[in-house]
Amino acid sequence: MQIRGNALLLQQAKACTKSDSVENATFSGRFANSIYLGTAGNVTFVLEDGVTTLLLSAMLAGMWHSVMPFKRVNSTGTAPTDIVVGLTFQG
């Protein structure tokens, strides 16, 4: 018997230091699409086009969040600490 679901499986992950200029969410040319937060709060992302920003408010701590592909977690507008970015695929 095989059980399948819509789980997102983590393929790669790394610690992320917030920055307003350095791409901090890429994996060998691929963009992160998930984020883990050590503390709760607002997070501002720069999406894969390098221009569009996305603010997600009141993100919860202690869990992985799926997000559209992003290349950077901005320092400005991002309150949480202990950030990990990840690359996931659907399993």
Side-chain angles (χ1 to χ4, degrees):
M1 180 167 101
Q2 189 173 24
I3 299 174
R4 293 186 180 255
N6 291 329
L8 291 176
L9 305 174
L10 188 63
Q11 187 175 23
Q12 295 181 26
K14 65 180 181 180
C16 177
T17 301
K18 302 178 278 189
S19 174
D20 289 334
S21 60
V22 176
E23 288 184 11
N24 53 20
T26 58
F27 297 89
S28 300
R30 297 175 68 195
F31 302 113
N33 60 3
S34 60
I35 189 167
Y36 179 93
L37 306 173
T39 58
N42 297 346
V43 179
T44 302
F45 302 91
V46 175
L47 301 183
E48 62 186 330
D49 67 5
V51 177
T52 307
T53 58
L54 172 67
L55 169 66
L56 295 180
S57 301
M59 294 185 76
L60 299 176
M63 63 182 291
W64 282 96
H65 300 270
S66 294
V67 185
M68 60 185 60
F70 61 97
K71 62 173 30 178
R72 188 171 74 226
V73 176
N74 274 355
S75 179
T76 303
T78 300
T81 58
D82 300 323
I83 297 172
V84 179
V85 295
L87 183 61
T88 60
F89 65 95
Q90 191 160 355

